[in-house]
Amino acid sequence: MNKIFNIYIALTYTNNSPHIGHLYELIIADVFKKYLSLWYKARLIIGSDDHGTKFKNTAITVNSFPTKISNLNSNKLLANVSRLKIMINDWISTSQKRHIRNICYKFSLIKRIKKLIYKMYYCGWYLPISEVFCSYNVVKFSYNNMFVTNNQPVEWLEEDSIFINYNSIKNKIIAIYRANKIRTPNIKVSTLFKTLVNTKNICISRRKLLSYGIKLNLNSTYYTLWVWIDALFAYSNSWQTNKIHIVGKDIIWFHLTYYVVLLLVFNINLPQYIYQHQHLRYKEVKLSKSLNGRNYNLEKLPRYLICYLLCSRSFSRDIEMNNLDINKTESDLIKNLGNLTKRLSKLIKLHGSKIKRITVSDWLLYLYAKRFEVIIKRYLILFKLNMILNMLMEQLALINNKISNYKLWCNKNVRHKLYIYSHITAYIIFLLKPVIGNKTNIIINKMFHGDWQYMPFKKLNINKT
């Protein structure tokens, strides 16, 4: 019970308003943390990435300052955290003084690690919109006489830069994953190995001085730290034990490779788990619009419905928002949980729930319910929140069917089953607390007091948004 896990999500890039993808990542991280908190202590750490050329361009466009833009969008993210009643334990940012001091100190030790981090004159293609350097094989010549990659213009750069020598440490990183020092249970082994093998040395600085970023002074030469490395350093320096990272599939490769290199280079504890989640898509297009004015709006839904809607889907493939049926999801909750608690509360009001005798089948059902903790722990390690929720809902449906089959409202010979069914239901409701929230305590209390007029969930009649 004394073990403390630190759960991280990717830092939000605050050059623009937070979008539905950030909302999705926050929700699954919060539900994961609350399930983990049933047996251990857990912290949820989120934050913002406040540096990069995008801030400079956005500030020029809106005639403002980069710090003002990052603060505004960070407050929007925190407003969503408050609205969804997500409890965070720390806020980290690339613009915090503690972060800047840590980076400057670590890079002052660069002379000791020349084999892993080195300086070299670099010339090649640079993609400004993503702030990444591109290899030659992905750059093409477009019809409008421009060099592009993925239909985005690139520019040619020649400058003195700092590089991570990934090739020199690649075999050690592969050995770390093979020895399960870092576990990635929901990432295919073939995908992981391909990522580790195909990754190359990477430039982590810009010799060209940018107006907004962390400046490094190395041997009287000034560099600006690359924005992606800047973000990785932010949570590599925070809460360094029992780390769990929940990362989107588009940037998972960066956390599997260069993030681990930085931890090894600067002698920081490795994370225990790195989990990958998929994207939300709308009509086969990744959702990345602002929360205001997008095609698919979840803001009107209560927290429990949003959590169940998103966490009851598998993270092994993208979630198509156009195919989600909110009314069906709401009906499932009302049918499996709401109606069951109302039936049990009415039966308890009529007959009470005192135990008189117990059959073998009832005892086996009770023991199976008590094993849910073991099953949930196993599914948590595999990052299968959908399996947890589906299992609990199936058990509630089973109890509902047994009440109907035995006709507990009129069959005096089987009224003793009411005690078993009510306590199993209460235990399952308790295990649904990470999704439903504090309402679980009210539901259990009303059920055992026979308040059958209490409505756990009200029908919202929300059409597909």
Side-chain angles (χ1 to χ4, degrees):
M1 186 64 191
N2 295 327
K3 197 170 187 179
I4 301 176
F5 289 95
N6 299 295
I7 303 168
Y8 293 82
I9 60 174
L11 299 188
T12 303
Y13 202 42
T14 52
N15 72 312
N16 207 339
S17 298
H19 54 73
I20 191 173
H22 300 131
L23 180 73
Y24 171 59
E25 198 167 76
L26 275 169
I27 286 172
I28 60 177
D30 180 55
V31 173
F32 182 85
K33 173 205 168 183
K34 287 179 176 176
Y35 269 115
L36 208 58
S37 298
L38 295 177
W39 306 283
Y40 309 101
K41 292 182 180 179
R43 301 189 188 104
L44 177 60
I45 300 102
I46 69 171
S48 61
D49 186 359
D50 302 330
H51 290 149
T53 55
K54 288 184 180 180
F55 278 95
K56 176 184 175 182
N57 298 334
T58 304
I60 293 173
T61 303
V62 300
N63 193 22
S64 183
F65 298 99
T67 51
K68 187 175 181 180
I69 294 170
S70 63
N71 290 337
L72 175 65
N73 293 321
S74 294
N75 288 334
K76 288 181 180 179
L77 179 65
L78 289 172
N80 284 319
V81 170
S82 177
R83 179 174 65 87
L84 293 168
K85 299 179 181 178
I86 296 174
M87 182 65 69
I88 61 174
N89 300 93
D90 194 8
W91 174 271
I92 53 179
S93 170
T94 57
S95 58
Q96 289 175 339
K97 289 183 178 179
R98 63 174 178 175
H99 167 66
I100 297 173
R101 283 198 300 267
N102 264 320
I103 284 185
C104 292
Y105 170 72
K106 281 184 168 55
F107 274 90
S108 68
L109 308 174
I110 195 170
K111 291 181 180 179
R112 303 180 189 175
I113 47 177
K114 285 184 178 180
K115 291 183 179 180
L116 299 176
I117 294 182
Y118 62 93
K119 292 189 290 184
M120 187 181 75
Y121 188 78
Y122 176 83
C123 59
W125 295 108
Y126 182 75
L127 180 60
I129 191 170
S130 300
E131 301 189 36
V132 296
F133 291 89
C134 306
S135 58
Y136 292 90
N137 58 345
V138 298
V139 176
K140 299 179 181 178
F141 194 68
S142 66
Y143 294 107
N144 55 356
N145 297 326
M146 292 181 64
F147 287 98
V148 298
T149 177
N150 295 328
N151 297 322
Q152 297 294 338
V154 295
E155 59 185 38
W156 182 264
L157 287 181
E158 297 183 13
E159 59 188 32
D160 193 19
S161 301
I162 303 172
F163 281 75
I164 287 181
N165 191 355
Y166 178 81
N167 289 331
S168 66
I169 202 172
K170 181 189 297 185
N171 291 335
K172 184 175 182 180
I173 293 176
I174 293 174
I176 286 173
Y177 283 104
R178 282 180 173 171
N180 278 333
K181 297 293 185 181
I182 302 175
R183 299 182 184 180
T184 56
N186 66 330
I187 301 175
K188 292 182 179 178
V189 176
S190 57
T191 304
L192 174 63
F193 185 74
K194 185 177 179 181
T195 301
L196 298 177
V197 170
N198 293 337
T199 303
K200 308 296 182 184
N201 294 357
I202 188 171
C203 177
I204 63 171
S205 73
R206 293 293 306 276
R207 177 67 182 88
K208 179 182 177 182
L209 291 180
L210 305 177
S211 60
Y212 198 53
I214 295 180
K215 306 297 187 296
L216 301 174
N217 184 358
L218 302 175
N219 299 328
S220 299
T221 305
Y222 288 91
Y223 299 88
T224 302
L225 190 64
W226 186 34
V227 58
W228 284 32
I229 297 295
D230 191 4
L232 293 181
F233 263 112
Y235 48 62
S236 68
N237 291 317
S238 169
W239 303 109
Q240 296 185 11
T241 57
N242 300 328
K243 290 185 178 181
I244 298 174
H245 291 279
I246 300 175
V247 187
K249 69 174 184 178
D250 53 340
I251 58 173
I252 190 69
W253 65 276
F254 209 75
H255 290 73
L256 294 173
T257 54
Y258 301 125
Y259 174 51
V260 179
V261 171
L262 289 174
L263 297 178
L264 293 173
V265 166
F266 294 107
N267 197 25
I268 301 173
N269 291 333
L270 296 174
Q272 287 197 358
Y273 296 93
I274 298 179
Y275 294 120
Q276 171 185 280
H277 69 78
Q278 304 305 92
H279 291 152
L280 299 180
R281 301 172 71 89
Y282 183 78
K283 295 182 179 179
E284 299 184 357
V285 177
K286 177 189 173 185
L287 281 173
S288 59
K289 291 185 178 180
S290 171
L291 287 172
N292 298 318
R294 64 176 185 272
N295 291 329
Y296 207 98
N297 194 348
L298 297 177
E299 288 182 311
K300 297 179 181 179
L301 302 180
R303 182 192 184 279
Y304 72 86
L305 194 54
I306 297 175
C307 289
Y308 186 74
L309 184 72
L310 298 180
C311 293
S312 60
R313 268 66 187 177
S314 173
F315 299 143
S316 61
R317 57 180 179 273
D318 290 345
I319 299 176
E320 178 57 55
M321 300 296 285
N322 196 41
N323 295 333
L324 293 183
D325 193 338
I326 294 176
N327 289 326
K328 184 180 182 303
T329 303
E330 183 189 25
S331 298
D332 290 342
L333 278 172
I334 292 173
K335 178 181 177 182
N336 291 332
L337 185 55
N339 288 352
L340 175 59
T341 54
K342 282 181 68 66
R343 294 179 78 184
L344 286 172
S345 59
K346 194 167 186 177
L347 288 169
I348 290 172
K349 180 74 172 178
L350 292 173
H351 309 300
S353 61
K354 294 182 180 179
I355 189 167
K356 295 181 179 179
R357 60 183 177 131
I358 188 168
T359 63
V360 174
S361 61
D362 296 334
W363 182 245
L364 290 175
L365 186 65
Y366 182 78
L367 290 179
Y368 177 69
K370 282 299 181 181
R371 280 187 54 83
F372 283 170
E373 288 190 12
V374 177
I375 300 172
I376 289 175
K377 284 182 179 179
R378 189 181 304 147
Y379 284 150
L380 271 180
I381 292 175
L382 300 175
F383 199 54
K384 292 185 177 181
L385 298 179
N386 63 309
M387 299 291 286
I388 294 173
L389 298 180
N390 292 338
M391 175 193 67
L392 296 176
M393 283 298 168
E394 286 174 3
Q395 193 67 17
L396 289 175
L398 175 65
I399 294 173
N400 217 347
N401 290 333
K402 284 184 175 293
I403 292 175
S404 299
N405 294 336
Y406 286 115
K407 298 181 181 179
L408 294 186
W409 55 89
C410 63
N411 192 345
K412 295 181 180 180
N413 297 325
V414 291
R415 284 181 185 171
H416 60 277
K417 294 181 179 293
L418 182 59
Y419 179 89
I420 295 293
Y421 295 163
S422 59
H423 279 78
I424 291 176
T425 301
Y427 182 61
I428 294 173
I429 294 173
F430 168 74
L431 293 177
L432 285 170
K433 189 173 182 178
V435 172
I436 301 173
N438 293 328
K439 185 181 281 192
T440 55
N441 299 328
I442 301 173
I443 295 173
I444 294 171
N445 185 55
K446 294 287 186 181
M447 183 181 72
F448 281 114
H449 280 81
D451 188 358
W452 59 272
Q453 293 182 338
Y454 172 69
M455 293 286 293
F457 305 105
K458 295 181 180 179
K459 185 71 175 175
L460 300 176
N461 293 322
I462 297 176
N463 295 323
K464 202 172 187 180
T465 52

mmCIF file of all heavy atoms in Angstrom, residues 32-61:
data_model
loop_
_atom_site.group_PDB
_atom_site.id
_atom_site.type_symbol
_atom_site.label_atom_id
_atom_site.label_comp_id
_atom_site.label_asym_id
_atom_site.label_seq_id
_atom_site.Cartn_x
_atom_site.Cartn_y
_atom_site.Cartn_z
ATOM 1 N N PHE A 32 -7.728 5.563 -15.021
ATOM 2 C CA PHE A 32 -6.635 4.630 -14.722
ATOM 3 C C PHE A 32 -6.069 4.907 -13.331
ATOM 4 O O PHE A 32 -5.824 3.984 -12.544
ATOM 5 C CB PHE A 32 -5.539 4.770 -15.780
ATOM 6 C CG PHE A 32 -4.389 3.825 -15.595
ATOM 7 C CD1 PHE A 32 -4.431 2.538 -16.107
ATOM 8 C CD2 PHE A 32 -3.258 4.215 -14.898
ATOM 9 C CE1 PHE A 32 -3.373 1.663 -15.934
ATOM 10 C CE2 PHE A 32 -2.189 3.347 -14.717
ATOM 11 C CZ PHE A 32 -2.252 2.069 -15.234
ATOM 12 N N LYS A 33 -5.869 6.182 -13.016
ATOM 13 C CA LYS A 33 -5.330 6.548 -11.694
ATOM 14 C C LYS A 33 -6.273 6.129 -10.580
ATOM 15 O O LYS A 33 -5.846 5.607 -9.540
ATOM 16 C CB LYS A 33 -5.100 8.055 -11.645
ATOM 17 C CG LYS A 33 -4.698 8.565 -10.258
ATOM 18 C CD LYS A 33 -5.063 10.012 -10.067
ATOM 19 C CE LYS A 33 -4.917 10.405 -8.599
ATOM 20 N NZ LYS A 33 -5.338 11.790 -8.355
ATOM 21 N N LYS A 34 -7.576 6.327 -10.774
ATOM 22 C CA LYS A 34 -8.535 6.017 -9.714
ATOM 23 C C LYS A 34 -8.652 4.510 -9.489
ATOM 24 O O LYS A 34 -8.863 4.071 -8.351
ATOM 25 C CB LYS A 34 -9.888 6.631 -10.050
ATOM 26 C CG LYS A 34 -9.888 8.152 -9.870
ATOM 27 C CD LYS A 34 -11.209 8.786 -10.213
ATOM 28 C CE LYS A 34 -11.157 10.282 -9.925
ATOM 29 N NZ LYS A 34 -12.395 10.973 -10.337
ATOM 30 N N TYR A 35 -8.522 3.723 -10.548
ATOM 31 C CA TYR A 35 -8.497 2.272 -10.342
ATOM 32 C C TYR A 35 -7.225 1.858 -9.603
ATOM 33 O O TYR A 35 -7.253 1.003 -8.724
ATOM 34 C CB TYR A 35 -8.606 1.540 -11.676
ATOM 35 C CG TYR A 35 -10.032 1.238 -12.064
ATOM 36 C CD1 TYR A 35 -10.609 1.807 -13.176
ATOM 37 C CD2 TYR A 35 -10.811 0.383 -11.281
ATOM 38 C CE1 TYR A 35 -11.934 1.546 -13.521
ATOM 39 C CE2 TYR A 35 -12.126 0.115 -11.614
ATOM 40 C CZ TYR A 35 -12.679 0.690 -12.735
ATOM 41 O OH TYR A 35 -13.987 0.435 -13.048
ATOM 42 N N LEU A 36 -6.124 2.487 -9.964
ATOM 43 C CA LEU A 36 -4.863 2.183 -9.288
ATOM 44 C C LEU A 36 -4.919 2.594 -7.820
ATOM 45 O O LEU A 36 -4.339 1.932 -6.945
ATOM 46 C CB LEU A 36 -3.718 2.912 -9.999
ATOM 47 C CG LEU A 36 -2.316 2.303 -9.937
ATOM 48 C CD1 LEU A 36 -2.320 0.892 -10.513
ATOM 49 C CD2 LEU A 36 -1.337 3.178 -10.693
ATOM 50 N N SER A 37 -5.664 3.670 -7.530
ATOM 51 C CA SER A 37 -5.764 4.186 -6.166
ATOM 52 C C SER A 37 -6.579 3.282 -5.244
ATOM 53 O O SER A 37 -6.577 3.484 -4.031
ATOM 54 C CB SER A 37 -6.397 5.588 -6.174
ATOM 55 O OG SER A 37 -5.599 6.495 -6.899
ATOM 56 N N LEU A 38 -7.284 2.305 -5.809
ATOM 57 C CA LEU A 38 -8.019 1.366 -4.973
ATOM 58 C C LEU A 38 -7.075 0.520 -4.124
ATOM 59 O O LEU A 38 -7.459 0.023 -3.059
ATOM 60 C CB LEU A 38 -8.898 0.453 -5.835
ATOM 61 C CG LEU A 38 -10.043 1.125 -6.601
ATOM 62 C CD1 LEU A 38 -10.766 0.109 -7.470
ATOM 63 C CD2 LEU A 38 -11.021 1.807 -5.655
ATOM 64 N N TRP A 39 -5.831 0.339 -4.603
ATOM 65 C CA TRP A 39 -4.868 -0.517 -3.891
ATOM 66 C C TRP A 39 -3.549 0.185 -3.578
ATOM 67 O O TRP A 39 -2.821 -0.237 -2.698
ATOM 68 C CB TRP A 39 -4.588 -1.768 -4.711
ATOM 69 C CG TRP A 39 -5.838 -2.496 -5.067
ATOM 70 C CD1 TRP A 39 -6.568 -3.304 -4.231
ATOM 71 C CD2 TRP A 39 -6.536 -2.456 -6.305
ATOM 72 N NE1 TRP A 39 -7.673 -3.776 -4.905
ATOM 73 C CE2 TRP A 39 -7.689 -3.281 -6.184
ATOM 74 C CE3 TRP A 39 -6.332 -1.815 -7.523
ATOM 75 C CZ2 TRP A 39 -8.596 -3.472 -7.206
ATOM 76 C CZ3 TRP A 39 -7.233 -1.995 -8.554
ATOM 77 C CH2 TRP A 39 -8.353 -2.817 -8.389
ATOM 78 N N TYR A 40 -3.209 1.238 -4.319
ATOM 79 C CA TYR A 40 -1.938 1.927 -4.123
ATOM 80 C C TYR A 40 -2.184 3.430 -4.043
ATOM 81 O O TYR A 40 -3.291 3.905 -4.295
ATOM 82 C CB TYR A 40 -0.975 1.643 -5.294
ATOM 83 C CG TYR A 40 -0.795 0.191 -5.622
ATOM 84 C CD1 TYR A 40 -1.470 -0.380 -6.694
ATOM 85 C CD2 TYR A 40 0.053 -0.620 -4.877
ATOM 86 C CE1 TYR A 40 -1.320 -1.722 -7.013
ATOM 87 C CE2 TYR A 40 0.221 -1.960 -5.188
ATOM 88 C CZ TYR A 40 -0.470 -2.504 -6.254
ATOM 89 O OH TYR A 40 -0.314 -3.824 -6.562
ATOM 90 N N LYS A 41 -1.147 4.144 -3.716
ATOM 91 C CA LYS A 41 -1.178 5.598 -3.830
ATOM 92 C C LYS A 41 -0.778 5.965 -5.259
ATOM 93 O O LYS A 41 0.154 5.379 -5.810
ATOM 94 C CB LYS A 41 -0.225 6.245 -2.832
ATOM 95 C CG LYS A 41 -0.660 6.084 -1.378
ATOM 96 C CD LYS A 41 0.306 6.793 -0.449
ATOM 97 C CE LYS A 41 -0.137 6.640 1.010
ATOM 98 N NZ LYS A 41 0.811 7.321 1.935
ATOM 99 N N ALA A 42 -1.471 6.921 -5.835
ATOM 100 C CA ALA A 42 -1.182 7.300 -7.226
ATOM 101 C C ALA A 42 -1.267 8.806 -7.382
ATOM 102 O O ALA A 42 -2.123 9.463 -6.778
ATOM 103 C CB ALA A 42 -2.162 6.610 -8.179
ATOM 104 N N ARG A 43 -0.370 9.333 -8.174
ATOM 105 C CA ARG A 43 -0.383 10.762 -8.506
ATOM 106 C C ARG A 43 -0.613 10.926 -10.002
ATOM 107 O O ARG A 43 -0.092 10.145 -10.798
ATOM 108 C CB ARG A 43 0.943 11.433 -8.149
ATOM 109 C CG ARG A 43 1.358 11.363 -6.690
ATOM 110 C CD ARG A 43 2.571 12.264 -6.479
ATOM 111 N NE ARG A 43 3.152 12.104 -5.153
ATOM 112 C CZ ARG A 43 4.265 11.439 -4.900
ATOM 113 N NH1 ARG A 43 4.912 10.855 -5.888
ATOM 114 N NH2 ARG A 43 4.743 11.350 -3.682
ATOM 115 N N LEU A 44 -1.361 11.945 -10.375
ATOM 116 C CA LEU A 44 -1.552 12.289 -11.780
ATOM 117 C C LEU A 44 -0.869 13.617 -12.040
ATOM 118 O O LEU A 44 -1.187 14.631 -11.398
ATOM 119 C CB LEU A 44 -3.042 12.380 -12.119
ATOM 120 C CG LEU A 44 -3.385 12.804 -13.553
ATOM 121 C CD1 LEU A 44 -2.792 11.817 -14.559
ATOM 122 C CD2 LEU A 44 -4.891 12.914 -13.744
ATOM 123 N N ILE A 45 0.084 13.614 -12.952
ATOM 124 C CA ILE A 45 0.863 14.816 -13.259
ATOM 125 C C ILE A 45 0.599 15.210 -14.704
ATOM 126 O O ILE A 45 0.775 14.407 -15.623
ATOM 127 C CB ILE A 45 2.378 14.586 -13.042
ATOM 128 C CG1 ILE A 45 2.654 14.214 -11.579
ATOM 129 C CG2 ILE A 45 3.166 15.825 -13.409
ATOM 130 C CD1 ILE A 45 2.879 12.754 -11.334
ATOM 131 N N ILE A 46 0.141 16.440 -14.899
ATOM 132 C CA ILE A 46 -0.075 16.965 -16.248
ATOM 133 C C ILE A 46 0.702 18.271 -16.376
ATOM 134 O O ILE A 46 1.295 18.751 -15.406
ATOM 135 C CB ILE A 46 -1.571 17.177 -16.550
ATOM 136 C CG1 ILE A 46 -2.137 18.338 -15.719
ATOM 137 C CG2 ILE A 46 -2.362 15.912 -16.279
ATOM 138 C CD1 ILE A 46 -3.541 18.736 -16.119
ATOM 139 N N GLY A 47 0.687 18.861 -17.545
ATOM 140 C CA GLY A 47 1.410 20.113 -17.711
ATOM 141 C C GLY A 47 1.317 20.650 -19.109
ATOM 142 O O GLY A 47 0.516 20.201 -19.930
ATOM 143 N N SER A 48 2.155 21.634 -19.391
ATOM 144 C CA SER A 48 2.102 22.330 -20.679
ATOM 145 C C SER A 48 3.495 22.484 -21.256
ATOM 146 O O SER A 48 4.488 22.615 -20.535
ATOM 147 C CB SER A 48 1.452 23.709 -20.507
ATOM 148 O OG SER A 48 2.215 24.511 -19.622
ATOM 149 N N ASP A 49 3.552 22.451 -22.567
ATOM 150 C CA ASP A 49 4.777 22.697 -23.324
ATOM 151 C C ASP A 49 4.658 24.099 -23.909
ATOM 152 O O ASP A 49 3.832 24.347 -24.789
ATOM 153 C CB ASP A 49 4.918 21.645 -24.424
ATOM 154 C CG ASP A 49 6.230 21.762 -25.159
ATOM 155 O OD1 ASP A 49 7.020 22.670 -24.832
ATOM 156 O OD2 ASP A 49 6.474 20.962 -26.083
ATOM 157 N N ASP A 50 5.471 25.034 -23.413
ATOM 158 C CA ASP A 50 5.277 26.459 -23.714
ATOM 159 C C ASP A 50 6.351 27.059 -24.611
ATOM 160 O O ASP A 50 6.463 28.282 -24.682
ATOM 161 C CB ASP A 50 5.242 27.260 -22.402
ATOM 162 C CG ASP A 50 4.145 26.793 -21.469
ATOM 163 O OD1 ASP A 50 3.127 26.312 -21.977
ATOM 164 O OD2 ASP A 50 4.309 26.909 -20.242
ATOM 165 N N HIS A 51 7.132 26.230 -25.287
ATOM 166 C CA HIS A 51 8.214 26.763 -26.108
ATOM 167 C C HIS A 51 8.090 26.293 -27.557
ATOM 168 O O HIS A 51 7.349 25.356 -27.847
ATOM 169 C CB HIS A 51 9.580 26.339 -25.550
ATOM 170 C CG HIS A 51 9.916 27.000 -24.252
ATOM 171 N ND1 HIS A 51 10.693 26.396 -23.289
ATOM 172 C CD2 HIS A 51 9.561 28.208 -23.753
ATOM 173 C CE1 HIS A 51 10.812 27.206 -22.247
ATOM 174 N NE2 HIS A 51 10.129 28.304 -22.512
ATOM 175 N N GLY A 52 8.836 26.956 -28.436
ATOM 176 C CA GLY A 52 8.868 26.538 -29.833
ATOM 177 C C GLY A 52 8.536 27.660 -30.800
ATOM 178 O O GLY A 52 8.011 28.712 -30.423
ATOM 179 N N THR A 53 8.845 27.430 -32.069
ATOM 180 C CA THR A 53 8.607 28.446 -33.096
ATOM 181 C C THR A 53 7.121 28.688 -33.342
ATOM 182 O O THR A 53 6.737 29.764 -33.806
ATOM 183 C CB THR A 53 9.264 28.013 -34.416
ATOM 184 O OG1 THR A 53 8.785 26.713 -34.775
ATOM 185 C CG2 THR A 53 10.772 27.974 -34.290
ATOM 186 N N LYS A 54 6.274 27.692 -33.032
ATOM 187 C CA LYS A 54 4.833 27.888 -33.227
ATOM 188 C C LYS A 54 4.309 29.018 -32.351
ATOM 189 O O LYS A 54 3.391 29.743 -32.745
ATOM 190 C CB LYS A 54 4.080 26.593 -32.913
ATOM 191 C CG LYS A 54 4.266 25.503 -33.954
ATOM 192 C CD LYS A 54 3.419 24.295 -33.619
ATOM 193 C CE LYS A 54 3.606 23.201 -34.650
ATOM 194 N NZ LYS A 54 2.795 22.006 -34.346
ATOM 195 N N PHE A 55 4.863 29.160 -31.143
ATOM 196 C CA PHE A 55 4.436 30.244 -30.271
ATOM 197 C C PHE A 55 4.789 31.604 -30.874
ATOM 198 O O PHE A 55 3.994 32.548 -30.822
ATOM 199 C CB PHE A 55 5.089 30.109 -28.895
ATOM 200 C CG PHE A 55 4.382 29.153 -27.994
ATOM 201 C CD1 PHE A 55 4.790 27.838 -27.909
ATOM 202 C CD2 PHE A 55 3.296 29.555 -27.243
ATOM 203 C CE1 PHE A 55 4.135 26.951 -27.087
ATOM 204 C CE2 PHE A 55 2.632 28.674 -26.408
ATOM 205 C CZ PHE A 55 3.054 27.357 -26.329
ATOM 206 N N LYS A 56 5.988 31.672 -31.425
ATOM 207 C CA LYS A 56 6.403 32.920 -32.056
ATOM 208 C C LYS A 56 5.478 33.275 -33.208
ATOM 209 O O LYS A 56 5.018 34.425 -33.328
ATOM 210 C CB LYS A 56 7.843 32.783 -32.554
ATOM 211 C CG LYS A 56 8.357 33.990 -33.305
ATOM 212 C CD LYS A 56 9.744 33.725 -33.854
ATOM 213 C CE LYS A 56 10.213 34.899 -34.714
ATOM 214 N NZ LYS A 56 11.550 34.641 -35.292
ATOM 215 N N ASN A 57 5.157 32.282 -34.063
ATOM 216 C CA ASN A 57 4.288 32.540 -35.219
ATOM 217 C C ASN A 57 2.874 32.904 -34.786
ATOM 218 O O ASN A 57 2.255 33.816 -35.359
ATOM 219 C CB ASN A 57 4.256 31.310 -36.125
ATOM 220 C CG ASN A 57 5.629 30.966 -36.681
ATOM 221 O OD1 ASN A 57 6.479 31.836 -36.815
ATOM 222 N ND2 ASN A 57 5.853 29.700 -36.994
ATOM 223 N N THR A 58 2.345 32.189 -33.767
ATOM 224 C CA THR A 58 0.998 32.496 -33.278
ATOM 225 C C THR A 58 0.944 33.881 -32.658
ATOM 226 O O THR A 58 -0.022 34.633 -32.865
ATOM 227 C CB THR A 58 0.557 31.439 -32.243
ATOM 228 O OG1 THR A 58 0.638 30.143 -32.824
ATOM 229 C CG2 THR A 58 -0.873 31.703 -31.790
ATOM 230 N N ALA A 59 1.974 34.241 -31.901
ATOM 231 C CA ALA A 59 2.012 35.553 -31.258
ATOM 232 C C ALA A 59 2.037 36.674 -32.297
ATOM 233 O O ALA A 59 1.371 37.704 -32.132
ATOM 234 C CB ALA A 59 3.230 35.643 -30.343
ATOM 235 N N ILE A 60 2.786 36.463 -33.373
ATOM 236 C CA ILE A 60 2.824 37.472 -34.437
ATOM 237 C C ILE A 60 1.470 37.588 -35.113
ATOM 238 O O ILE A 60 0.996 38.686 -35.421
ATOM 239 C CB ILE A 60 3.918 37.106 -35.461
ATOM 240 C CG1 ILE A 60 5.303 37.216 -34.816
ATOM 241 C CG2 ILE A 60 3.835 38.002 -36.690
ATOM 242 C CD1 ILE A 60 6.437 36.723 -35.683
ATOM 243 N N THR A 61 0.814 36.448 -35.330
ATOM 244 C CA THR A 61 -0.489 36.442 -36.015
ATOM 245 C C THR A 61 -1.553 37.194 -35.222
ATOM 246 O O THR A 61 -2.340 37.965 -35.783
ATOM 247 C CB THR A 61 -0.954 34.995 -36.255
ATOM 248 O OG1 THR A 61 0.045 34.304 -37.013
ATOM 249 C CG2 THR A 61 -2.276 34.964 -37.016
#
